[in-house]
Amino acid sequence: MHIKRRDFFKILTLGGVLSEQFLIGQTSGLNSIAAGNPSSDISKSMRMADSIDKVYDDAIVYDGLVIARNWNEASFEALQKSGYTGFNASLDTGNLANALKNLEEWQHRIKENPDRLMLATNAEDFIKAKKEKKVAVMLGFQNSAIIEDSIDNLDTLYQAGTRWMQLTYNERNLIGDGCTERTNAGLSDYGIEVVERMNELGIIIDLSHCGLQTTNDGIKFSKTGASINHSMCEALHKNHPRAKTDDQIRAMADKGGVIGIICLGYMIGPNLGVDTTLETYVDHIEHAVKIGGIDHVGLASDFPIQGLQASGATYENWYEPRLTRFKPSYKVQWPPWIPELDTTDRYRNVAISLDKRGFSTGDIEKILGQNWLRYFKETLKT
């Protein structure tokens, strides 16, 4: 796909139109330096930062995957600070009964907090949430094993509120092979039937943890664009089972899908804090845009809304269990987070970094949430 050259000077122009009163009215520290010399680098940086803050505050901001278990008042407080318009809530699976129980629990939570939350079942819900200063929650699961061996269970899950579902987790299920499975068989015949029924109902197909061939098959057999709602670029993090190749990103984009670049630090690269930083994360965004186009890249955290550290993740309760749950190919690190992303300001920090790299205001808005919104309009039923 042809990508238009980004217009860095557009941002500078936006920053320059801010009123001088902002600068003149400050009387101490860097603000007074900026006021005394409006042409200084400090002054320009402050004007640009203020401009991108407004862009962020006005934008649709969407998180492609939030781990939604153990939700509490601290989660609500973090959500308010985040500036989110909506998010994909990843609910616990296990089996169909447990999935339905968790859907009911979240439906109840949304009804009990009508001033803070909205249930999202179509794209218009996110626009409404932004206008009403609420957060729209789209419910779903990271493993379609919960439908067991009956297509009819998809209808049951849809009626209970499910609007997105990952075909496989790391291991094989009846639908296909996961990303750490020894084999690479792709979708089963039953899996293709599942994809067809999900298309008919309007349940988003997510391929994040799917194996190489299952990912390819999911893109191929879905009539609408498939989502890769929390992943990264294999070109930048080689030989990680969760990463997607350039060919996969390109094929997904060609059918209208979106890839959400995952914030979980150890997924982005090795040696966190040294070789892998916030800039590495933005490298993944930039590469995905180069390959798939600006209309097909979004953001996704893959951890609780507060961040991992604030939600109580420790070496003992987070890292050690993953050494047995995941294969060595997962390359789990401790601590697993990029500090600037393990905070409620994660996407504001990303927007600032994109701004510094010369992404236009419109492109930043697309990455923050407009791309997800466009995708939902095309895949969810009204």
Side-chain angles (χ1 to χ4, degrees):
M1 288 186 175
H2 176 69
I3 309 300
K4 292 182 180 179
R5 184 177 178 84
R6 301 181 186 94
D7 186 0
F8 176 64
F9 295 103
K10 186 174 180 181
I11 291 293
L12 291 179
T13 302
L14 285 171
V17 299
L18 296 176
S19 73
E20 293 182 5
Q21 187 62 42
F22 171 79
L23 298 175
I24 295 170
Q26 307 303 315
T27 58
S28 62
L30 295 178
N31 289 334
S32 64
I33 296 172
N37 185 6
S39 64
S40 70
D41 289 341
I42 293 173
S43 176
K44 290 177 182 177
S45 297
M46 289 175 58
R47 291 200 303 272
M48 289 175 69
D50 189 65
S51 175
I52 202 63
D53 272 337
K54 187 175 189 313
V55 169
Y56 186 88
D57 292 338
D58 291 344
I60 297 284
V61 179
Y62 198 82
D63 193 319
L65 191 106
V66 169
I67 302 301
R69 69 178 70 96
N70 301 321
W71 194 272
N72 54 29
E73 190 57 36
S75 305
F76 275 119
E77 292 172 4
L79 189 61
Q80 184 178 16
K81 294 175 183 176
S82 71
Y84 282 15
T85 308
F87 63 90
N88 282 352
S90 174
L91 310 188
D92 284 345
T93 52
N95 53 47
L96 179 63
N98 191 56
L100 291 172
K101 176 185 175 184
N102 286 313
L103 284 166
E104 183 180 7
E105 177 185 303
W106 259 95
Q107 292 269 20
H108 178 73
R109 179 174 290 117
I110 292 167
K111 289 176 182 176
E112 289 294 302
N113 293 275
D115 57 328
R116 302 196 276 192
L117 300 176
M118 282 178 54
L119 178 67
T121 58
N122 61 68
E124 294 303 314
D125 290 329
F126 299 103
I127 297 171
K128 184 179 179 183
K130 183 68 177 179
K131 289 178 180 176
E132 297 181 3
K133 298 185 176 172
K134 300 176 185 178
V135 179
V137 183
M138 190 154 64
L139 305 176
F141 300 93
Q142 289 196 62
N143 197 336
S144 58
I146 55 176
I147 68 173
E148 300 168 351
D149 60 355
S150 174
I151 291 283
D152 290 342
N153 287 335
L154 274 174
D155 294 68
T156 301
L157 288 162
Y158 180 84
Q159 291 163 9
T162 301
R163 290 299 182 272
W164 70 272
M165 189 156 56
Q166 193 167 260
L167 296 184
T168 68
Y169 196 64
N170 295 340
E171 58 283 322
R172 174 191 297 155
N173 61 25
L174 293 176
I175 283 82
D177 280 2
C179 65
T180 59
E181 191 65 47
R182 179 182 61 83
T183 55
N184 185 34
L187 288 178
S188 64
D189 289 344
Y190 177 59
I192 293 174
E193 292 180 34
V194 168
V195 166
E196 291 173 348
R197 186 56 183 153
M198 288 174 72
N199 284 162
E200 291 167 358
L201 288 169
I203 298 176
I204 288 169
I205 292 164
D206 174 41
L207 306 171
S208 297
H209 282 255
C210 293
L212 180 65
Q213 190 56 45
T214 303
T215 299
N216 294 340
D217 286 349
I219 295 167
K220 176 182 176 180
F221 288 103
S222 178
K223 292 182 176 65
T224 59
S227 160
I228 303 172
N229 72 20
H230 61 300
S231 189
M232 68 286 197
C233 304
E234 197 272 342
L236 301 187
H237 196 185
K238 299 287 188 183
N239 302 316
H240 197 292
R242 284 276 283 101
K244 302 303 178 183
T245 68
D246 286 358
D247 286 345
Q248 290 172 329
I249 294 170
R250 191 177 292 110
M252 171 219 67
D254 285 346
K255 292 187 73 171
V258 173
I259 180 170
I261 302 300
I262 188 171
C263 292
L264 194 53
Y266 77 86
M267 293 282 185
I268 301 303
N271 200 9
L272 277 169
V274 180
D275 300 318
T276 302
T277 65
L278 174 62
E279 293 309 308
T280 315
Y281 178 78
V282 181
D283 289 342
H284 279 264
I285 295 174
E286 196 157 29
H287 182 80
V289 168
K290 177 182 176 182
I291 299 302
I294 190 60
D295 297 318
H296 303 281
V297 181
L299 308 171
S301 57
D302 195 24
F303 44 70
I305 187 70
Q306 303 98 308
L308 284 166
Q309 191 169 24
S311 62
T314 66
Y315 186 94
E316 292 76 19
N317 69 22
W318 193 96
Y319 176 71
E320 288 185 339
R322 280 162 176 76
L323 297 180
T324 56
R325 284 177 52 201
F326 298 150
K327 290 184 176 180
S329 60
Y330 244 63
K331 306 174 186 176
V332 182
Q333 301 173 58
W334 181 262
W337 52 73
I338 294 170
E340 295 91 341
L341 299 177
D342 198 48
T343 168
T344 55
D345 283 332
R346 63 186 64 92
Y347 295 149
R348 191 180 297 274
N349 293 335
V350 171
I352 292 168
S353 185
L354 290 170
D355 178 39
K356 289 177 181 177
R357 292 197 185 197
F359 279 74
S360 72
T361 299
D363 286 354
I364 293 171
E365 289 172 334
K366 286 183 177 184
I367 292 166
L368 286 174
Q370 285 291 342
N371 288 338
W372 284 120
L373 188 63
R374 185 270 309 162
Y375 175 69
F376 297 151
K377 288 179 180 176
E378 295 174 1
T379 53
L380 296 172
K381 306 291 185 182
T382 56

